[in-house]
Amino acid sequence: MARLSTLDRFLPAWIIAAMALGLILGRAIPSLSGRLDAVQIGSVSLPIAVGLLLMLYPVLAKVRYDKLDRVTGDRRLLATSLLLNWVVGPALMFALAWILLPDLPAYRTGLIIVGLARCIAMVLIWNDLACGDRQAAAVLVAINAIFQILAFGILGWFYLRVLPGWLGLDQVDAGFSIGTIVVSVLVFLGIPLVAGYLTRTIGERTKGVAWYEQRFLPRVGPVALYGLLFTIVVLFALQGHTITTQPWNVVRIAIPLLAYFAVMFTVSFALGHRLRLGYAKSTTVAFTAAGNNFELAIAVCIGVFGATSGQALAGVVGPLIEVPVLVALVYAALALRRRLYAGDARSAELLAD
């Protein structure tokens, strides 16, 4: 934990403080919703849209887009990651949401959208702390970001409309638009993805890689957290009445999330070990599969269902659960390294460090 910055180390505390501040503001300013909606981008108020974009840009500016060929050439690693991220992960969250939230359709839909938003953010930090493969993680993050732009809308249509119909389950209301999901992804992921790519390309060419990695990224990195905290404050201000009158529902949202993280990490790490990917790559596969892009999930839920929707609340509860759980999984990964990879020369070297 000492290797984390102060902002990252106390992230759960900042999130709880942002939630509390939001609830206080919601009580103090009853007209907040109308004021936020005064200026909109599509169906999202301008202040919230700015917060959502700020969450994603610094993350995508960190990605090493020039390293894509290093992982795409490792077919076992790439195939394993794609299978876990785009088949197992969404299917598991769909199952957990329906099993544990059968009577709460809005929260259930929000969690299914969370399951479709694959991790591109804090996973780089958790992977580093657990001594995973840094370059592989950076490339898998880039692949996930690009794949989400191409496939998020299709997967949303499948898991929210098609699959429930096949299983005889309730579908999302007919007025629900997959096109709105596509637009939300293009705006709130596409714009920061292009900006992040251009920033890295131009920055490295004009100032050099060392300047970009050691000076620019540390300065712009905290902006993502500020954007997340701002968005949480606003959403909890808008959701204050629901949260204070139905706190048990927030707990119920947390339960499938906890189950999801535990199952995905365990299955992913075990599969990497079975395929003999080695500790570093098995850890990277496990963290990239277990984590989720809550920033994008929040953006999609707000864009499609509104800032005061249950779907948006389900997305906002996510980071509060994810951060402490993935910190715990860092310790779990290091314990597994000592137990399963003690004879591995690379692991022994890392342990010595």
Side-chain angles (χ1 to χ4, degrees):
M1 289 294 291
R3 293 168 58 186
L4 288 171
S5 68
T6 301
L7 282 173
D8 292 332
R9 191 182 313 159
F10 297 105
L11 183 54
W14 306 140
I15 292 175
I16 292 173
M19 291 175 173
L21 178 59
L23 293 175
I24 293 171
L25 288 176
R27 293 282 187 176
I29 311 174
S31 61
L32 182 62
S33 178
R35 296 182 183 183
L36 288 174
D37 288 337
V39 181
Q40 293 188 336
I41 297 179
S43 60
V44 180
S45 71
L46 180 60
I48 296 178
V50 171
L52 296 173
L53 291 171
L54 290 178
M55 283 194 294
L56 285 163
Y57 164 68
V59 174
L60 292 164
K62 294 180 181 180
V63 175
R64 295 295 301 269
Y65 299 95
D66 58 330
K67 304 296 183 183
L68 283 170
D69 58 330
R70 293 193 179 184
V71 170
T72 53
D74 188 335
R75 294 184 178 180
R76 281 197 310 164
L77 176 63
L78 181 60
T80 302
S81 179
L82 290 175
L83 173 67
L84 291 168
N85 274 286
W86 298 104
V87 178
V88 178
L92 176 62
M93 188 68 88
F94 176 87
L96 290 171
W98 270 101
I99 292 170
L100 299 174
L101 300 174
D103 56 328
L104 296 172
Y107 299 148
R108 184 177 65 234
T109 298
L111 285 181
I112 291 173
I113 290 175
V114 167
L116 300 180
R118 309 314 302 164
C119 193
I120 63 170
M122 292 290 286
V123 67
L124 297 174
I125 295 176
W126 313 132
N127 181 74
D128 276 359
L129 291 176
C131 302
D133 188 317
R134 180 176 297 179
Q135 292 300 329
V139 175
L140 291 177
V141 162
I143 291 173
N144 278 345
I146 295 169
F147 205 89
Q148 282 177 87
I149 291 179
L150 299 176
F152 198 104
I154 297 173
L155 290 172
W157 169 72
F158 177 76
Y159 279 102
L160 297 176
R161 297 286 296 169
V162 177
L163 186 56
W166 288 351
L167 299 176
L169 303 172
D170 293 336
Q171 297 172 301
V172 177
D173 184 81
F176 164 74
S177 170
I178 296 299
T180 308
I181 283 187
V182 173
V183 171
S184 296
V185 172
L186 289 176
V187 172
F188 294 110
L189 182 58
I191 291 176
L193 177 63
V194 172
Y197 173 79
L198 292 176
T199 300
R200 176 172 283 279
T201 301
I202 296 172
E204 289 186 349
R205 287 179 181 176
T206 57
K207 295 287 189 176
V209 175
W211 174 87
Y212 188 84
E213 294 283 346
Q214 299 170 16
R215 300 190 63 180
F216 177 76
L217 287 183
R219 291 179 181 177
V220 77
V223 172
L225 176 57
Y226 300 146
L228 174 62
L229 295 178
F230 170 77
T231 304
I232 289 175
V233 169
V234 173
L235 292 182
F236 267 71
L238 297 175
Q239 298 268 11
H241 177 74
T242 301
I243 295 168
T244 54
T245 57
Q246 303 175 32
W248 175 240
N249 286 349
V250 176
V251 175
R252 290 190 61 187
I253 293 172
I255 293 172
L257 286 169
L258 288 169
Y260 173 85
F261 292 134
V263 172
M264 280 301 295
F265 183 86
T266 302
V267 170
S268 301
F269 193 94
L271 182 59
H273 181 65
R274 178 77 175 177
L275 294 174
R276 298 185 179 182
L277 296 178
Y279 171 78
K281 288 185 177 179
S282 294
T283 298
T284 297
V285 166
F287 277 104
T288 52
N292 288 88
N293 183 1
F294 285 101
E295 297 90 339
L296 178 62
I298 293 170
V300 170
C301 288
I302 292 174
V304 177
F305 300 100
T308 59
S309 64
Q311 291 87 346
L313 179 60
V316 172
V317 171
L320 177 64
I321 307 302
E322 181 185 48
V323 174
V325 169
L326 289 188
V327 168
L329 290 177
V330 168
Y331 288 103
L334 294 174
L336 288 170
R337 180 183 66 178
R338 289 190 292 271
R339 182 169 182 173
L340 300 177
Y341 296 88
D344 189 313
R346 173 58 179 159
S347 293
E349 178 181 313
L350 290 170
L351 280 170
D353 292 339

